[in-house]
Structures are given as C-alpha cells and as structure tokens.
Amino acid sequence: MAGKELQMIEEQEYKKRRKVFTKKLQENSVAILFSAEAKTRSNDTEYPYRQNSNFYYMSGFTEDKTVLVFVKGAKKTKSYLFVYKKDKTEELWNGKRLGVLQAKKRFDVDAVFEYSELASKLKIFLEGKHTLYYDFKLDYSKVKLLKRYAKNIDTFKNAAKPIQKMRLIKSQAEIATIKEALKITKKAHHIAMKKVKKLHYEYELQAEFEYIFRKNGAQSDAYSSIVASGNNANTLHYINNNAKLQKNELILIDAGCEYNYYASDITRTIPSQGVFTKAQKELYQLVLDVQKEIIALIKPGVMRTNLQKKAEELLCRGLVQLGILEGSVKKLLKKNAHKKYYPHGIGHWMGIDVHDESPYKDKKGKEIPLQAGMVLTIEPGIYIDKDDRNAPKRYRGIGIRIEDDILVTKKAYKNLSKKIKKEIKELEF
Ligand code: GLY
Ligand code: MN
Ligand code: MN
C-alpha cells in the first residue's frame, strides 16, 4: 500500500494554501491558527490525538502545542510557526517532537519559534493591527489569551471561514489520499460481506472493519462505525453495535477509514445469510436505483438541493409503487409524507472531515453549485420501523442506505467507491 508515511502531501502544497489564505486577509491584520488540544479521556489518560482539521490543511503538521501566525501589513505578509520545544523528559513519555531546528527545515515559513514564546511575540505582531482572525470555535481559554493582547483590535473575524471555502475544492494530492482511504474501506466492506454468514454479533463485524483499517495503515475510522442489523438500521446514528445477528435480516454497515487525515464514508446494506427476502429485495432495488440515478446527474453547475429534491421525488414514487405510501406523489411530496421513510440529506461534502465543514451557500446566502474538484457523498435510504402499522407488514423492520463517495469532474463525475459491491447479485452468495 502506497503512502504509509503521514506526510504525503508536500510542503509546497501547504505553502501554496497558506499563500491563498493570506491573500484573503485584510491589510493590517493578524491571523492565528492553533493546533488541536490533547483531550483528557479520564484522569491521566488521553484520547488519541487528532490535529485540528483546518490547522492540518494549512500545515500537514500533526503535533499539538503548535501555532501558525500570519501578519499582514500594507505590503508584505509574514508567516510564523510556533512549535513545542524538544525536551528529553517530555519525549521519554510522549514521543519525539520535531522541534524548532527541524521545523525550520521542513516548513517554508518566515520564522519558527518555540511555543513558549507565543505570548511575547503575539504582543509585537498585534501592534498597530486592527483585525484579528481566529477560529471562532477556539477554546475559551485561548480566546481569553488572544483578547488580552488584542487591545487595538476593533474587528474579529473567523479564520476558519476562508479555509473551509478553500477545502471545498480538492487538489490532486487530496483526491489521491481519499482514494487510498477508499481502497482500505473497500477491502473491509468486501471482507465483511464474505464473513457475515459466519459471524454472530454486530460488534464482530465492527471488529473486522477496525482490524482491516489498522492492518492496512489507516490511522482510525473516520467516524464511529454503524453496524445495524434488522430494525436497528432504523436508528440513523446507531453505534451500539451489540445486537445478535438474526437470520434473514439486513445489516446496514456505515463504515469508512481515515487515512492520512482524509475520510472515506461508505454504507452498504447486506443480507445476514447471503440471500435477500423478496420484500428486502424490492426495497433495496428501489434505493439502489435512486442512488444510481442521482449519481448520474452529477456535473459542474448542478445544485445539491436539486439532487435532494430529485431523490425525494424518486423515493416517494417508489414508496407509492410498493404500497408503503398511498396517494398522489405530488401531494405526498408537498405534505412531506415521504420524510417519515427518508428523513435525511442526500449527501454532504467529504474530505479531511467526514462531514467537511465547507460552506453550502455563498456569502449572499445563494447555494454554491457543484464544481470540479468537490467531493460529496450520495446516500439515499429507506427506513421502515418494525412498529410502523401504516406500512405493509412485510417491509417493517427494514432499514437500507447505500452510500458512495463522488468526485465532481470537469465533465461530470467519478464515483470513487464504484468498486465496492452493491448490486443484489453481488451481495448474494
Ligand atoms: N457516516 C456518516 C454519514 O454518512 O454521514
Ligand atoms: Mn455520509
Ligand atoms: Mn456514512
């Protein structure tokens, strides 16, 4: 597997991003980006560390206690990096750090300082400046620190906004990383499909995913895996994954790895015994047909809300054809009757975060159309609760979602997860 190394995207690309970012800043401003804090799990144990997504996007650096500062004057912009010092005792317990000297070699910034110097430098950087950019989701303690030094500042702006906008369009290197993530995720889904008959609990399937993810160099899952058998699939964020698998059930598996800080997000719904019942097949085929039809519409210029509308219309029509809803499709859509069975969105941006925090609307509130380089999921579903007396009995207790990760290309789209099996005949054995 290529690219086991964490630093896969080149410093030159990060530098380019920093340049684009600083171009968007106002004159006489300072922008400051902090690394994520290490988070306590309990007492003196910590959660595995994960870098702040925007900070990672601008640096590719995965250490905590790290800060990027941009100082923009009337003519010039300077960029500075603060890193934690090399400290033998610290390193004995917590591992090696890059340190100032190595950081100077790796990062193409104007200067690298020790993290402990941040407060004193900040004072100088902020002199005569009027605007301060920081991530509005920053921990309160850091905001307090910033405001202490920002006496002259009259305008505070959210530094996350321009970065989130930049993150909408993926570079070749980012797309390559997502593809790597998907290679591993494909492997895990295919192994789960093969092994399902022999397994007894949802968590055994989850374990297969986690094993394959780590075994193949992914750092973690991109989100908590959903392994929802039978009626559990009707809980959209089901993550208990502790039920016993039953015969003739469908199992909805929404699981994808994070590889070098890029997500994959895939759902497949498979039969527990390798065979669909007739009712399961009917519902599954409907969701699959809708998913394919929506994916086929993707191209630059298309609005995501139109994909949503079309998916709702197609699913509603299918629900009527199967006798799950009754009446005219037009009226049912108007009443939102279909939302009982399809309550969520058709998809979302994906990248460093599984739900990439990039904008869906521009500054004026107008929807941003699809553009080449965007990556989004397409994930229609149908969910019929076991106690839903309005639905025909044979469909009750079935939840189905099918989700792929799509790259918008210049001409249309590329389904990056196309090779992960989803046809009925591929899932039956
Ligand atoms: N796995 C979360 C989602 O599909 O959005
Ligand atoms: Mn998704
Ligand atoms: Mn998903």
Side-chain angles (χ1 to χ4, degrees):
M1 177 83 43
K4 283 248 159 73
E5 256 265 298
L6 253 181
Q7 168 73 3
M8 204 169 80
I9 296 174
E10 303 285 331
E11 165 60 5
Q12 279 317 302
E13 182 162 338
Y14 293 114
K15 192 186 176 192
K16 215 166 92 189
R17 292 177 192 169
R18 294 194 292 269
K19 203 168 164 191
V20 173
F21 173 69
T22 53
K23 280 211 173 124
K24 294 175 186 234
L25 302 178
Q26 289 184 356
E27 273 181 20
N28 291 318
S29 69
V30 171
I32 184 159
L33 299 171
F34 287 90
S35 58
E37 290 281 329
K39 293 242 166 24
T40 302
R41 176 174 150 171
S42 171
N43 190 20
D44 58 356
T45 53
E46 282 175 357
Y47 286 108
Y49 182 74
R50 188 188 187 274
Q51 188 54 281
N52 172 279
S53 295
N54 288 330
F55 189 89
Y56 184 80
Y57 183 77
M58 299 293 275
S59 67
F61 198 35
T62 56
E63 284 188 19
D64 69 330
K65 294 193 168 64
T66 309
V67 188
L68 267 170
V69 182
F70 303 91
V71 182
K72 185 162 179 170
K75 286 202 183 101
K76 274 191 192 152
T77 305
K78 298 267 188 194
S79 58
Y80 305 107
L81 180 67
F82 292 77
V83 300
Y84 199 74
K85 64 174 185 280
K86 285 192 80 64
D87 175 312
K88 281 223 159 58
T89 314
E90 248 272 336
E91 288 190 343
L92 169 69
W93 290 93
N94 298 320
K96 294 268 180 244
R97 286 201 177 252
L98 194 62
V100 173
L101 287 179
Q102 289 303 318
K104 276 183 183 167
K105 288 186 191 156
R106 172 166 157 187
F107 294 100
D108 199 351
V109 289
D110 291 294
V112 179
F113 301 108
E114 243 183 42
Y115 182 70
S116 60
E117 294 177 85
L118 179 65
S120 61
K121 294 284 181 205
L122 210 51
K123 238 182 189 166
I124 302 165
F125 295 153
L126 284 164
E127 262 169 33
K129 299 291 184 288
H130 302 294
T131 307
L132 176 62
Y133 292 81
Y134 68 93
D135 187 335
F136 282 3
K137 282 191 181 165
L138 193 63
D139 299 341
Y140 182 63
S141 62
K142 293 226 177 68
V143 176
K144 244 169 60 181
L145 170 96
L146 283 181
K147 298 219 164 153
R148 194 174 332 138
Y149 296 110
K151 298 276 187 265
N152 292 329
I153 299 293
D154 48 44
T155 311
F156 293 94
K157 288 189 168 250
N158 191 353
K161 290 277 177 231
I163 305 174
Q164 286 160 358
K165 208 167 149 201
M166 289 164 66
R167 282 171 56 187
L168 257 179
I169 308 293
K170 271 69 181 174
S171 69
Q172 288 306 315
E174 290 185 282
I175 293 162
T177 313
I178 292 171
K179 283 183 179 167
E180 284 299 323
L182 278 166
K183 262 192 211 167
I184 299 169
T185 295
K186 178 183 79 181
K187 203 175 210 171
H189 275 275
H190 284 173
I191 285 177
M193 287 167 190
K194 243 192 204 153
K195 285 199 173 177
V196 63
K197 260 192 203 174
K198 291 194 199 118
L199 302 178
H200 304 290
Y201 286 90
E202 291 168 344
Y203 54 73
E204 289 182 80
L205 275 164
Q206 181 185 359
E208 293 291 337
F209 277 85
E210 288 174 5
Y211 175 72
I212 299 297
F213 290 170
R214 279 309 267 151
K215 175 88 176 159
N216 288 277
Q219 287 74 32
S220 66
D221 42 32
Y223 50 92
S224 300
S225 304
I226 296 169
V227 182
S229 60
N231 193 57
N232 293 335
N234 294 316
T235 301
L236 295 176
H237 287 165
Y238 177 83
I239 52 167
N240 286 346
N241 303 348
N242 58 3
K244 199 164 195 302
L245 305 176
Q246 306 294 333
K247 286 203 170 118
N248 300 322
E249 273 181 346
L250 291 183
I251 310 167
L252 183 158
I253 305 175
D254 186 346
C257 72
E258 177 174 298
Y259 181 78
N260 286 3
Y261 275 84
Y262 281 80
S264 52
D265 184 9
I266 297 296
T267 309
R268 290 294 182 263
T269 306
I270 61 175
S272 61
Q273 293 298 305
V275 190
F276 285 87
T277 66
K278 197 163 173 289
Q280 289 166 351
K281 231 182 226 181
E282 289 162 5
L283 276 179
Y284 187 91
Q285 196 62 51
L286 167 60
V287 177
L288 183 61
D289 290 344
V290 171
Q291 200 227 17
K292 287 184 187 168
E293 200 164 333
I294 299 301
I295 291 172
L297 296 173
I298 292 177
K299 61 179 180 189
V302 165
M303 297 295 182
R304 211 181 49 102
T305 49
N306 285 342
L307 298 179
Q308 177 78 37
K309 241 167 95 185
K310 186 74 187 167
E312 289 183 22
E313 187 192 313
L314 292 170
L315 285 168
C316 187
R317 185 170 303 146
L319 288 165
V320 170
Q321 276 163 1
L322 294 176
I324 298 164
L325 287 175
E326 275 174 35
S328 99
V329 173
K330 211 171 152 192
K331 280 187 189 151
L332 289 166
L333 284 168
K334 210 167 169 197
K335 281 197 296 192
N336 279 328
H338 60 293
K339 290 212 168 158
K340 178 174 167 195
Y341 299 113
Y342 170 53
H344 58 74
I346 190 61
H348 50 82
W349 308 134
M350 191 194 80
I352 296 180
D353 290 307
V354 62
H355 294 172
D356 241 9
E357 215 184 353
S358 293
Y360 290 94
K361 290 178 179 166
D362 67 16
K363 269 187 192 154
K364 289 181 189 148
K366 258 181 67 186
E367 185 174 359
I368 299 171
L370 296 183
Q371 291 164 50
M374 290 176 169
V375 174
L376 76 160
T377 66
I378 294 294
E379 49 181 305
I382 288 181
Y383 311 88
I384 302 176
D385 194 82
K386 70 175 178 29
D387 297 324
D388 185 343
R389 286 168 183 268
N390 295 320
K393 213 167 175 185
R394 57 206 229 99
Y395 296 127
R396 292 182 204 162
I398 299 177
I400 296 166
R401 178 165 65 254
I402 307 170
E403 176 176 29
D404 281 304
D405 301 341
I406 315 293
L407 168 70
V408 184
T409 60
K410 272 188 195 144
K411 287 204 175 124
Y413 70 92
K414 184 167 190 240
N415 183 349
L416 301 176
S417 46
K418 194 177 168 196
K419 291 197 178 138
I420 305 179
K421 295 173 185 172
K422 61 181 176 182
E423 295 296 330
I424 287 177
K425 63 178 190 308
E426 293 174 314
L427 303 181
E428 287 196 316
F429 61 96

